[in-house]
């Protein structure tokens, strides 16, 4: 059973990777009760900020 | 882990443990005192052979006591010994007093390794020397196996009050500034990390330390704080709520101004704790008149133990007894003490 | 911390709040069904940033709160059985059963142990072969894969002293039940991003279509929630009723396939009673036939209980979003975190606890 050391910003816990077999060192994961349940998608993570830019433009126009 | 060294060769064999006889008041106890405890305390203790200590003190005296039952006994940044000295020293400082003498009461569990006791004694010696206090008197008792979780300590302390004005919640006024001496939450997280069952590694060490430097300098500079409170169990939340309720005032805090280290913030997220409720052992809040705020911050920041001091809020007249905190998004929320324990046996 | 702090930026939050205010032309009522979202909303004061026209109500998003009282009683009975060890997530300990809670059972001498993960309970079973170790498996779909793995490993290893008391609940059937209830005011949903990380978004499509409600899968940082609300009201204003994925950095349409595979093997869908709501068909997980041996209910037999609830507690109304906690006459006075009358005040994810913690006794 694959586990990994996951850094929660200075706190390190051993987490089970059974549900994220694609995870690699350096990836960011969502963790719940000791299991990584998804690998965060960096491109998608940026989407909200692009959306905010669009909204900011709309705000200026309004 | 504190490096342990006695000032004389180890007076006990490897694997030797505390026996009931060590608390019996007879030869076994005398031997424990003469070969382990007294030499262990060394220069930090008065060389008395009597039931109590007698002093002359000019002026008002501050007096405090606290018992220490922390589990585990040793944790990153300290142990039950350092807590026992610094906790009582800090309580005296919060009364506006220069700490002078401490008493030490040990309750030892039968079966406690003597090496462990020696380590704690050495820590207490080092802490007392660093805080500038002397151990004046003490007591040792032993209880049956299973009745004390290794070791419990009580310390009581007396100090000479040097504050220019009374220090108490009823001195707090609307308009006072709230100054916090440093970042919060280290002690609680460090103890949790050292407990089995939490299963996490962290580099966080307890902030256990004496606050002598900054507090005495503040008082000697003529600053008259209206109230001082060291943050222990219950964290910043408990300290401010207790003062707000006792003083009948409101306290408004600003979350962005409250220093929390990245590591502590992350640990709290993982464990589901609010840093405002996490224990500290080397931090205090000062309620000072606004005209004294600048100077107080300057003095605090010049000492390592309070280098991150910050102005975190202000006192208002109403609503009485309520502490609120303006969050990151600009919305205020109520801060209350925790109902039960966030974590037992933290100090 | 990356992927966390940037979603708490105050300037971005006010920009989203302004966008929401610009978008709404009439009143809308949205519901979130996630204890984590409830807490984030109250902790950051997101409800206060929203324009008055947008009502955000809290649904039954706290799995601890909806665990039927019978299961608390069963857990207590197991804890008090000599030779048994009851392992549980921490916040189940103060949930009131008919007469007492697990904390009281522990004080009476019951072997109750808090675990962070179901695998910790498994570890206890391995190191204490003479004890019967039972894991109290509650939660939504987010927790189901972890609980399933514990049973899966137990079977693989042929462990004889491990079993699970299962009371899992599923979100989509609860949504349907709420939408079908007479007097339902909910016009749009924020779906729980962590539940959807596991299950994907597809099972929400029939609900959106059938009931004509927008469903936005949302994360639980402040910017996520604000963006989720924005997308939901935008759909309502434009007359759309679609499933939209705000939490795309974690949620994929198909969800977590590896997790679903283990869940399908270990669990089957069962009817479930939701505390405060009632019985909802096909709304829970129980152990499948192949794993029935690991069912603690079988191993420990029937437990007598009267399933009585405190008369004054309106947890049911709070869970269904019909009342907000400060509207309860007992809130902050007779019912506080120190003396809770019901589950929503006890659980760390409960709405009443959240209001009390962040808004005080006056709410």
């Amino acid at each position: 059973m694959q586990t990994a050391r996951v850094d929660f910003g200075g706190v390190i816990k051993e987490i089970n990777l059974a549900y994220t077999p694609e995870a690699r060192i350096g990836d960011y994961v969502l963790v719940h009760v000791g299991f990584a349940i998804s690998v965060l998608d960096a491109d998608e993570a940026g989407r909200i900020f692009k959306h905010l830019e669009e909204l900011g433009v709309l705000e200026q126009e309004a | 882990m504190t490096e342990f060294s006695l000032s004389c060769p180890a007076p006990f064999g490897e694997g030797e443990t505390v026996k009931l006889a060590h608390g019996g008041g007879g030869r076994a106890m005398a031997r424990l005192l003469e070969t382990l405890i007294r030499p262990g305390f060394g220069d930090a203790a008065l060389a008395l052979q009597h039931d109590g200590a007698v002093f002359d003190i000019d002026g008002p005296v501050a007096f405090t006591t606290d018992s220490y039952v922390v589990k585990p006994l040793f944790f990153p940044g300290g142990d039950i010994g350092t807590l026992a000295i610094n906790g009582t020293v800090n309580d005296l400082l919060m009364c506006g007093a220069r700490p002078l003498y401490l008493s030490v009461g040990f309750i030892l569990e039968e079966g406690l390794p003597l090496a462990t006791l020696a380590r704690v004694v050495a820590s207490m010696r080092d802490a007392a020397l660093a805080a500038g206090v002397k151990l004046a008197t003490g007591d040792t008792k032993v209880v049956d196996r299973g009745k004390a979780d290794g070791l419990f300590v009580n310390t009581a302390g007396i100090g000479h009050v040097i504050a220019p004005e009374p220090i108490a919640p009823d001195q707090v006024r609307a308009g006072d500034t709230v100054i916090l001496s440093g970042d919060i939450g280290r002690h609680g997280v460090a103890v949790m990390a050292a407990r089995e069952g939490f299963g996490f590694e962290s580099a966080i060490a307890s902030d256990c330390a004496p606050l002598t430097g900054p507090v005495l300098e503040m008082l000697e500079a003529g600053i008259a704080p209206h109230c001082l409170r060291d943050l222990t169990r219950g964290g910043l939340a408990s300290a401010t709520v207790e003062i707000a309720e006792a003083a009948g005032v409101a306290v408004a805090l600003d979350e962005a101004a409250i220093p929390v280290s990245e590591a502590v913030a992350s640990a709290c997220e993982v464990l589901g704790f609010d840093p405002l409720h996490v224990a500290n052992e080397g931090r205090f809040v000062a309620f000072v008149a606004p005209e004294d705020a600048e100077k107080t911050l300057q003095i605090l920041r010049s000492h390592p133990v309070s280098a991150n001091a910050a102005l975190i809020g202000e006192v208002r007249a109403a609503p009485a007894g309520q502490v609120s905190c303006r969050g990151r998004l600009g919305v205020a929320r109520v801060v209350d003490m925790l109902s039960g324990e966030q974590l037992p046996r933290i100090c | 911390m990356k992927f966390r702090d940037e979603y708490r930026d105050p300037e971005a939050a006010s920009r989203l709040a302004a966008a929401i205010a610009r978008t709404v032309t009439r009143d809308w009522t949205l519901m979130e069904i996630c204890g984590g979202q409830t807490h984030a909303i109250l902790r950051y004061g997101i409800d206060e940033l929203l324009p008055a026209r947008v009502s955000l109500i809290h649904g039954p998003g706290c799995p601890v709160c909806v665990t039927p009282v019978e299961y608390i009683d069963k857990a207590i009975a197991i804890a008090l059985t000599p030779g048994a060890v009851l392992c549980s997530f921490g916040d189940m300990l103060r949930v009131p059963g008919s007469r007492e809670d697990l904390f009281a059972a522990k004080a009476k001498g019951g072997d109750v142990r808090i675990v962070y993960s179901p695998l910790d309970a498994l570890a206890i079973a391995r190191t204490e072969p003479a004890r019967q170790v039972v894991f109290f498996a509650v939660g939504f779909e987010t927790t189901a894969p972890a609980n399933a793995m514990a049973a899966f490993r137990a079977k693989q290893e042929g462990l004889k002293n491990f079993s699970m008391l299962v009371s899992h609940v599923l979100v989509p059937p609860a949504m349907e039940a709420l939408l079908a209830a007479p007097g339902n005011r909910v016009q749009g949903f924020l779906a729980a991003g962590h539940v959807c990380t596991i299950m994907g978004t597809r099972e929400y499509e029939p609900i959106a279509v059938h009931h004509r409600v927008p469903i936005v899968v949302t994360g639980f940082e402040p910017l996520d929630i604000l963006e989720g609300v924005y997308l939901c009201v935008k759909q309502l204003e434009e007359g759309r009723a679609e499933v939209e994925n705000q939490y795309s950095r974690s949620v994929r349409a198909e969800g977590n396939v590896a997790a679903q595979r283990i869940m399908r093997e270990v669990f089957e869908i069962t009817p479930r009673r939701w505390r405060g709501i009632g019985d909802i068909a096909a709304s829970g997980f129980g152990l499948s036939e192949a794993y029935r041996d690991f069912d603690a209910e079988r191993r420990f037999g029937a437990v007598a209980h009267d399933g009585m609830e405190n008369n004054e507690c309106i947890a049911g109304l709070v869970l269904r979003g019909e009342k907000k906690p400060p509207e309860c006459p007992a809130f902050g006075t007779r019912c506080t975190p120190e003396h809770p009358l019901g589950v929503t005040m006890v659980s760390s994810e409960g709405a009443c606890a959240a209001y009390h913690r962040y808004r005080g006794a006056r709410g």
Side-chain angles (χ1 to χ4, degrees):
Chain A
M1 178 110 326
Q2 174 118 69
T3 60
R5 294 174 78 233
V6 174
D7 180 357
F8 290 80
V11 168
I12 305 205
K13 274 183 95 57
E14 187 158 318
I15 297 297
N16 195 304
L17 295 185
Y19 298 128
T20 51
E22 72 278 20
R24 298 284 170 270
I25 305 250
D27 281 347
Y28 282 78
V29 288
L30 193 61
V31 176
H32 183 67
V33 300
F35 286 78
I37 57 173
S38 70
V39 177
L40 294 187
D41 184 325
D43 291 331
E44 291 294 337
R47 189 202 47 75
I48 188 177
F49 300 101
K50 291 197 198 83
H51 187 198
L52 279 166
E53 269 178 45
E54 289 163 26
L55 288 175
V57 167
L58 288 171
E59 199 167 24
Q60 280 157 38
E61 287 171 1
Chain B
M1 288 235 305
T2 38
E3 267 309 309
F4 152 63
S5 61
L6 270 187
S7 52
C8 57
F12 48 86
E14 213 184 279
E16 249 196 88
T17 60
V18 170
K19 310 273 186 295
L20 284 173
H22 284 126
R27 283 285 164 210
M29 177 157 145
R31 200 160 43 239
L32 184 73
L33 289 173
E34 288 316 312
T35 62
L36 192 156
I37 294 181
R38 286 222 178 81
F41 284 139
D43 281 349
L46 302 178
L48 299 175
Q49 294 281 50
H50 193 55
D51 276 340
V54 176
F55 321 101
D56 257 314
I57 297 181
D58 264 328
V61 169
F63 179 38
T64 185
T65 186
D66 252 314
S67 296
Y68 299 87
V69 298
V70 65
K71 183 176 173 172
L73 296 178
F74 301 93
F75 45 86
D79 57 44
I80 192 172
T82 41
L83 281 190
I85 300 297
N86 291 326
T88 295
V89 160
N90 290 341
D91 280 345
L92 288 170
L93 290 165
M94 295 300 104
C95 297
R98 177 190 306 282
L100 294 173
Y101 301 106
L102 260 52
S103 69
V104 180
F106 286 123
I107 296 180
L108 308 175
E109 182 186 357
E110 181 192 7
L112 176 76
L114 289 187
T116 304
L117 178 59
R119 254 177 92 183
V120 172
V121 166
S123 285
M124 294 176 80
R125 177 200 63 213
D126 292 342
L129 290 172
V133 292
K134 288 276 193 211
L135 305 175
T137 186
D139 180 69
T140 305
K141 292 286 183 300
V142 180
V143 294
D144 302 86
R145 197 176 295 270
K147 304 293 185 193
D149 236 339
L151 153 70
F152 295 148
V153 184
N154 169 276
T155 48
I158 58 174
H160 181 209
V161 177
I162 63 166
E165 301 288 326
I167 296 178
D170 61 21
Q171 300 296 305
V172 173
R173 305 270 168 272
D176 279 356
T177 54
V178 183
I179 293 178
L180 172 60
S181 73
D183 65 294
I184 56 174
R186 288 180 188 266
H187 179 73
V189 173
V191 172
M192 269 183 261
R195 291 251 180 106
E196 273 174 40
F198 275 93
F200 70 93
E201 297 167 34
S202 97
I204 298 167
S206 168
D207 54 340
C208 180
L211 299 165
T212 334
V215 176
L216 290 183
E217 190 181 332
M218 255 179 86
L219 298 173
E220 282 162 355
I223 294 177
H226 295 157
C227 194
L228 297 174
R229 183 67 56 99
D230 64 336
L231 311 187
T232 60
R233 285 163 304 168
L236 178 62
S238 283
T240 47
V241 169
E242 277 170 15
I243 291 173
E245 286 178 355
V249 297
V251 175
L253 303 176
D254 181 7
E255 185 169 345
I258 298 173
V260 183
S261 75
E262 167 78 41
V264 168
S266 296
C268 286
E269 292 257 343
V270 171
L271 299 166
F273 293 150
D274 185 337
L276 292 185
H277 293 128
V278 179
N280 305 266
E281 284 293 332
R283 301 285 182 262
F284 70 102
V285 277
F287 286 68
V288 301
E291 54 270 23
D292 289 331
E294 187 66 53
K295 190 154 175 218
T296 304
L297 279 170
Q298 212 175 36
I299 291 173
L300 261 44
R301 286 176 183 155
S302 70
H303 292 262
V305 75
S306 45
N308 293 328
L311 198 153
I312 62 165
E314 59 170 16
V315 176
R316 300 183 184 154
Q322 189 188 94
V323 177
S324 65
C325 185
R326 187 172 174 278
R328 258 166 246 286
L329 303 189
V331 181
R333 59 184 174 94
V334 170
V335 173
D336 202 355
M337 296 194 255
L338 274 189
S339 47
E341 2 177 333
Q342 192 157 243
L343 189 72
R345 309 259 312 266
I346 200 100
C347 59
Chain C
M1 171 109 195
K2 198 171 166 206
F3 295 127
R4 190 192 67 198
D5 296 343
E6 59 270 46
Y7 294 95
R8 298 178 183 178
D9 176 55
E11 211 255 284
S14 59
R15 194 180 286 186
L16 278 165
I20 293 168
R22 272 199 317 272
T23 309
V24 293
T25 63
R26 39 171 288 208
D27 292 350
W28 297 114
T29 299
L30 310 184
M31 176 183 269
E32 47 85 359
I33 310 186
C34 171
Q37 285 171 354
T38 307
H39 262 251
I41 288 163
L42 289 164
R43 192 200 190 300
Y44 291 99
I46 291 167
D47 52 338
E48 296 192 18
L49 295 175
L50 296 175
R53 286 192 176 287
V54 178
S55 278
L56 192 48
I57 60 182
H58 315 293
C62 164
V64 168
C65 301
V66 300
T67 302
V69 66
E70 302 86 84
Y71 277 86
I72 309 294
D73 293 341
K74 284 183 226 248
I76 291 171
I78 291 170
L80 293 172
T81 303
V85 179
L86 194 281
C87 297
S88 169
F89 296 126
D91 43 5
M92 294 306 297
L93 256 65
R94 287 218 160 270
V95 176
S98 312
R99 264 174 298 278
E100 59 196 337
D101 56 32
L102 277 167
F103 198 77
K106 188 174 155 79
K108 269 188 189 171
D111 195 341
V112 178
R113 303 194 205 174
I114 296 177
V115 292
Y116 165 68
S117 161
L119 298 185
D120 298 337
L122 210 53
I124 293 173
R126 286 187 204 109
T127 56
E128 298 185 44
R131 317 292 301 280
Q132 271 295 330
V133 178
V134 178
F135 177 65
F136 197 179
V138 297
F140 281 114
E141 297 94 316
T142 327
T143 320
N147 294 343
M149 184 61 76
F152 184 79
R153 298 292 306 277
K155 185 167 185 196
Q156 254 184 355
E157 294 171 29
L159 273 183
K160 296 280 173 257
N161 64 328
F162 179 80
S163 60
M164 304 208 309
L165 182 61
V166 180
S167 178
H168 260 291
V169 279
L170 306 173
V171 172
M175 260 187 190
E176 297 249 36
L178 289 163
L179 286 165
N184 164 57
R185 305 176 292 128
V186 179
Q187 295 160 306
F189 280 99
L190 301 187
H194 293 158
V195 167
C196 294
T197 297
I198 301 297
M199 301 302 287
T201 61
R202 294 185 181 136
E203 55 185 355
Y204 294 86
E205 283 160 20
I207 302 176
V209 167
H210 183 224
H211 293 274
R212 292 223 30 89
V213 278
I215 300 177
V216 180
V217 178
T218 304
F220 67 121
E221 296 295 342
L223 294 196
D224 291 318
I225 296 170
L226 285 164
E227 195 186 25
V229 170
Y230 172 77
L231 293 171
C232 204
V233 297
K234 191 155 189 289
Q235 283 203 39
L236 287 166
E237 290 283 337
E238 292 171 8
R240 291 182 288 127
E242 295 155 7
V243 175
E244 222 174 326
N245 184 2
Q246 182 281 331
Y247 199 33
S248 53
R249 64 186 184 275
S250 175
V251 176
R252 276 120 221 153
E254 69 276 14
N256 185 319
V257 172
Q260 290 167 22
R261 199 181 307 129
I262 304 280
M263 284 158 67
R264 252 195 311 274
E265 174 163 340
V266 173
F267 291 128
E268 62 183 24
I269 294 180
T270 60
R272 264 285 154 231
R273 175 161 302 168
W274 292 55
R275 191 168 185 171
I277 297 178
D279 293 334
I280 304 180
S283 69
F285 279 151
L287 288 167
S288 66
E289 188 61 56
Y291 285 80
R292 216 48 74 68
D293 283 345
F294 293 93
D295 190 338
E297 287 188 79
R298 261 199 191 177
R299 221 175 266 202
F300 285 81
V303 169
H305 66 89
D306 40 35
M308 272 183 13
E309 299 278 12
N310 180 293
N311 284 330
E312 228 193 326
C313 176
I314 62 161
L317 294 171
V318 170
L319 287 166
R320 295 198 294 278
E322 290 172 34
K323 285 237 184 277
K324 285 217 159 110
E327 296 174 71
C328 171
F331 178 83
T333 52
R334 289 177 296 295
C335 183
T336 63
E338 293 91 84
H339 303 112
L341 294 184
V343 273
T344 42
M345 183 60 88
V346 166
S347 167
S348 59
E349 297 210 322
C352 298
Y355 270 84
H356 198 276
R357 181 166 163 181
Y358 299 113
R359 302 280 151 90
R362 272 163 253 138

